[in-house]
Amino acid sequence: MNRIAFLVFVIFGAATATCTSQGISTGLERFALSADQKILLEQQALDGSGDAATRLAQHYTMTPEGGGSNSGLYWAQIGAENGDPTCQYIYAAELLASKNHTSQEERRAMFWLRLSARQGNRSAKATLDYYEKSRIR
């Protein structure tokens, strides 16, 4: 995993972990969706809802159900295209996390990170700041 992908993973992962009296909770259970919820959210996302696409992208990237599938990437792209800054960040993170991402995918990931950061996504801003500092060296 390259440095940028690692940073994205750390920022995104840290946002989901919390401490409870029972120990550390990953918070991943909040991303679980029923079959009926997925059907409804898929329809809404395809009709332009960024929020619905975000919930699907998070479900498929943050729960065991999505393990190894491209569903998270697909719904993140849909949400990014729908204008959702969270999906723009997730989609960029997924592109950068790919082991063999191309220079074109990296360039497109930077596009989505900049767009997300302009809409106020702090994780995207932090990733861009890190990327810019690492390129100067």
Side-chain angles (χ1 to χ4, degrees):
M1 181 181 297
N2 67 32
R3 290 183 299 173
I4 295 169
F6 178 74
L7 176 68
V8 168
F9 175 78
V10 169
I11 292 170
F12 192 61
T16 64
T18 58
C19 292
T20 68
S21 60
Q22 309 298 322
I24 296 176
S25 169
T26 62
L28 300 183
E29 55 276 353
R30 70 180 174 178
F31 298 118
L33 298 172
S34 70
D36 289 340
Q37 287 174 312
K38 286 187 279 188
I39 290 169
L40 179 62
L41 290 170
E42 288 172 5
Q43 293 168 350
Q44 292 172 345
L46 293 173
D47 287 340
S49 171
D51 290 338
T54 298
R55 290 194 59 204
L56 289 164
Q58 290 172 330
H59 171 73
Y60 287 111
T61 58
M62 302 300 289
T63 65
E65 183 177 343
S69 77
N70 287 328
S71 296
L73 184 64
Y74 173 77
W75 291 112
Q77 182 178 4
I78 294 293
E81 292 169 357
N82 290 351
D84 184 87
T86 301
C87 273
Q88 292 163 349
Y89 174 71
I90 294 170
Y91 187 54
E94 291 286 325
L95 289 174
L96 292 172
S98 170
K99 288 181 184 178
N100 300 315
H101 69 265
T102 65
S103 61
Q104 290 175 324
E105 289 170 326
E106 185 171 329
R107 185 179 190 99
R108 197 62 182 163
M110 293 300 112
F111 164 81
W112 289 116
L113 284 174
R114 282 191 289 279
L115 192 56
S116 179
R118 280 197 301 266
Q119 294 182 73
N121 187 299
R122 291 180 299 173
S123 297
K125 176 83 171 103
T127 303
L128 282 171
D129 289 346
Y130 177 84
Y131 180 76
E132 291 302 320
K133 288 176 185 172
S134 70
R135 290 199 68 157
I136 293 172
R137 297 177 189 177

